[in-house]
Amino acid sequence: MTYRGRFAPSPTGPLHFGSLVSALASWLDARARGGEWLVRVEDIDRPRTVPGAAEDILSTLERFGMHADEPPVWQSHRTARYQEALEQLKVAGLAYPCGCTRREIADSLLHAHMRNTTLAYPGTCRDGLHGKPARAWRLRVPDGDPAVITFEDRWQGEQTQNLATEVGDFVLRRADDQWAYQLAVVVDDADANITHIVRGADLMDSTARQIYLQRCLGVPTPVYLHVPVVTNDLGEKLSKQNGATALDNNKPLEALSAAARHLGLEMGAHEYTTLEGFYAAATAAWAKRTGTQAQRN
């Protein structure tokens, strides 16, 4: 089986250091295994998409020497596939319309919290809309043992989440007609034959939902690895929303070396003068850090 990995940035602004760490980790994992590395532009959330940001991100990756093995895929071009997946789930009786507003959901969760019960979506519309107009579509999650999803993360170890008590029936299509991240990413990864997913640990909470959705759609589950996220001085995840600055395209080696240090790669104190030299050393260090045996497909 050919290793196929991907980096999937959201074009809400230029590439910053936190995103570079995820990009580098996914690139190194693919190269250490002799596999293929793809790029997907996750521009499905139109209100948050910044014009020109996707092109800027792709240009930065090129300047930093991370060249994809296939042309980039744009989520905004794939809405028909998401609709097909939703229809499949409807036919299977796994998706249902939801008429709850955010305020109604927040109120129900507050009451649940006061009763010391679940904070998950309470399934208000599971058995009908009760006269309310349909706003969103949700995936029905099972109760009991089938709701418990366990997976082995290559960096973080064994992870377990109870979808029924910790999440509840989750959104597939939002009330504003935007496709939910969970559905889009599962469909995209399946269609691209992605075998390994390397991304930030901030997305690990989504993994159980994605694994369950993969099972519902009858598609393979990739192998997961979640790297530590970069935080700011306040301990918050570094992001465009809290002021992360754009990478300097004129200093790729400086930023890449810092990203390698964040990933705990043992590369010594050598100062690299070329991208080729850096990537050769970083790939070997990544293979050692993750216990990867280099493969050629």
Side-chain angles (χ1 to χ4, degrees):
M1 178 179 65
T2 299
Y3 177 112
R4 285 173 65 85
R6 49 69 163 180
F7 174 56
S10 298
T12 56
L15 200 69
H16 59 79
F17 182 69
S19 298
L20 177 65
V21 168
S22 295
L24 178 63
S26 65
W27 193 94
L28 293 175
D29 202 53
R31 295 300 180 248
R33 289 172 172 259
E36 298 169 344
W37 185 74
L38 313 181
V39 174
R40 180 173 69 235
V41 178
E42 296 197 334
D43 61 338
I44 198 67
D45 193 341
R46 292 192 301 271
R48 296 181 62 240
T49 297
V50 175
E55 292 78 7
D56 184 76
I57 290 172
L58 295 173
S59 175
T60 298
L61 291 173
E62 289 289 323
R63 289 289 299 272
F64 277 58
M66 283 182 270
H67 308 292
D69 294 306
E70 296 178 7
V73 171
W74 300 66
Q75 282 189 330
S76 57
H77 299 168
R78 294 179 43 77
T79 55
R81 281 292 296 120
Y82 308 145
Q83 186 64 47
E84 288 176 10
L86 178 58
E87 294 302 323
Q88 179 181 339
L89 295 168
K90 289 180 186 179
V91 170
L94 295 171
Y96 65 87
C98 176
C100 297
T101 65
R102 288 186 178 183
R103 178 61 181 271
E104 289 170 337
I105 295 172
D107 286 346
S108 67
L109 295 182
L110 175 62
H111 294 155
H113 179 63
M114 293 171 64
R115 299 193 303 269
N116 294 316
T117 55
T118 178
L119 293 180
Y121 174 72
T124 306
C125 297
R126 266 191 172 194
D127 300 318
L129 293 168
H130 309 291
K132 295 183 292 187
R135 294 170 51 82
W137 281 87
R138 292 182 179 272
L139 183 72
R140 185 186 302 266
V141 303
D143 297 314
D145 290 343
V148 179
I149 305 295
T150 299
F151 66 97
E152 185 70 23
D153 187 88
R154 290 171 53 211
W155 191 292
Q156 309 285 345
E158 185 176 277
Q159 305 293 318
T160 299
Q161 186 178 66
N162 188 317
L163 294 178
T165 61
E166 298 179 58
V167 178
D169 299 342
F170 56 91
V171 172
L172 301 171
R173 184 165 183 140
R174 298 174 357 197
D176 60 359
D177 287 332
Q178 303 294 304
W179 291 103
Y181 167 75
Q182 310 298 351
L183 178 66
V185 73
V186 166
V187 173
D188 290 340
D189 287 336
D191 285 357
N193 297 314
I194 297 300
T195 62
H196 292 71
I197 293 175
V198 177
R199 59 189 182 185
D202 56 310
L203 292 172
M204 189 157 57
D205 184 64
S206 293
T207 306
R209 276 171 280 180
Q210 291 167 16
I211 291 174
Y212 179 64
L213 188 48
Q214 289 155 3
R215 295 173 182 175
C216 292
L217 291 171
V219 299
T221 293
V223 177
Y224 289 93
L225 185 156
H226 292 84
V227 298
V229 298
V230 179
T231 57
N232 60 19
D233 293 339
L234 298 176
E236 303 167 327
K237 174 200 167 188
L238 190 65
S239 68
K240 304 177 186 79
Q241 287 70 36
N242 60 28
T245 58
L247 295 169
D248 186 344
N249 284 348
N250 295 316
K251 299 179 179 179
L253 284 170
E254 181 178 311
L256 287 167
S257 296
R261 289 193 294 272
H262 178 80
L263 292 169
L265 303 185
E266 297 179 2
M267 298 173 60
H270 181 73
E271 291 291 334
Y272 297 94
T273 58
T274 66
L275 290 173
E276 292 78 8
F278 168 82
Y279 282 125
T283 301
W286 175 270
K288 180 179 178 181
R289 172 67 176 80
T290 60
T292 298
Q293 295 295 322
Q295 299 172 1
R296 296 297 170 200
N297 298 290

